[in-house]
Amino acid sequence: MRDVVLTATISLDGYIEGPDRDISWHRVDEELHQHFNDTLREAGAFLSGRVTHQLMTEFWPTADKDPDASATVAEFAEIWREKPKFVYSRTWERADWNTTVVRDVVPEEVRALKEQPGGPLVLSGAHLAADFLRHGLVDAFRIYVDPVIVGGGTPLFTEGSAPADLRLVETHTFGNGVVLLSHERA
C-alpha cells in the first residue's frame, strides 16, 4: 500500500507562506533542489489543492525551456510534467498536465488510490492537508524547516487538525540551514 506523505517547507514559526502568499524566504539552493528532485522522482502522484496546483502550472510546464534554467530546474520540470497529479477543486472542471480534478476528499477514494501500485502520494497545500489530516489519511510527514521567522501568513497545521502520534524516522541538515524532519505515524 502506498503512503500519503505530507511534504511542506515551513518557517521556524510554522508558516508555509508569509503575508500576501510570500514565499521569497524559502531557501532552495542547488543541494536542496536536487534532494527534492531525487525524492519526488520516486513519487507515484502529486496531490494538491487548486491554489498550489495553479502556482505550479504557472512555472513548471515550461521551466526547462528557459535557456537560463539550471539543470536541477530542468530536471524537476520533467518530473512534474510526467507525474500523475490530482488537484482538489470544487470550481475547476478540468486541468492540463496529466492532472485529474477531484471535487472533495473522500476517504474511500483516497484509500483506493493508496491501494494502486506505485510510489508514495505526495500531498501539499495547507488547506488540503487539513482535510486529509481530519480524515486520518496522512501516513508520513516530510517537513523542511527553513531557518527564518515569518511572523504570520498561512500555517501548515490549522486549528482542528486531528492529533497524531508520530515517530521520527529521519533528520537531515542541508548546507543552507534547512532541516528536514521526517515522521511516520507511530
Side-chain angles (χ1 to χ4, degrees):
M1 179 183 288
R2 304 194 281 185
D3 284 343
V4 172
V5 181
L6 174 57
T7 301
T9 296
I10 66 169
S11 62
L12 188 60
D13 52 347
Y15 295 97
I16 62 168
E17 59 187 13
D20 300 319
R21 304 206 163 211
D22 177 35
I23 60 170
S24 64
W25 50 269
H26 284 200
R27 293 190 179 180
V28 181
D29 61 8
E30 287 297 311
E31 176 195 19
L32 183 57
H33 205 272
Q34 188 60 57
H35 166 82
F36 288 151
N37 290 357
D38 295 343
T39 301
L40 296 174
R41 185 181 302 107
E42 304 304 318
F46 298 142
L47 314 174
S48 63
R50 182 192 55 79
V51 172
T52 300
H53 184 78
Q54 193 168 6
L55 291 171
M56 297 295 280
T57 61
E58 290 173 3
F59 182 74
W60 290 111
T62 59
D64 54 343
K65 305 296 185 236
D66 181 344
D68 295 328
S70 70
T72 52
V73 166
E75 180 182 7
F76 184 73
E78 184 178 340
I79 292 167
W80 186 86
R81 277 194 308 267
E82 291 181 2
K83 291 290 176 192
K85 290 168 277 303
F86 295 85
V87 60
Y88 288 79
S89 172
R90 292 188 182 108
T91 58
W92 282 5
E93 293 298 321
R94 63 175 206 80
D96 294 325
W97 307 109
N98 200 18
T99 303
T100 301
V101 176
V102 181
R103 293 278 173 240
D104 294 298
V105 177
V106 178
E108 296 77 23
E109 291 175 3
V110 175
R111 287 186 195 101
L113 189 59
K114 289 173 64 169
E115 292 291 333
Q116 295 177 9
L121 304 169
V122 177
L123 173 66
S124 62
H127 301 293
L128 184 59
D131 285 344
F132 271 69
L133 287 166
R134 272 193 289 282
H135 291 294
L137 297 169
V138 178
D139 302 298
F141 301 78
R142 292 184 68 80
I143 309 300
Y144 298 85
V145 183
D146 280 27
V148 299
I149 295 175
V150 177
T154 304
L156 176 58
F157 299 108
T158 59
E159 187 176 328
S161 294
D165 190 20
L166 306 176
R167 179 174 60 87
L168 181 66
V169 294
E170 178 189 3
T171 63
H172 181 83
T173 302
F174 295 90
N176 63 7
V178 172
V179 175
L180 165 63
L181 302 173
S182 290
H183 291 83
E184 294 177 348
R185 286 196 176 267

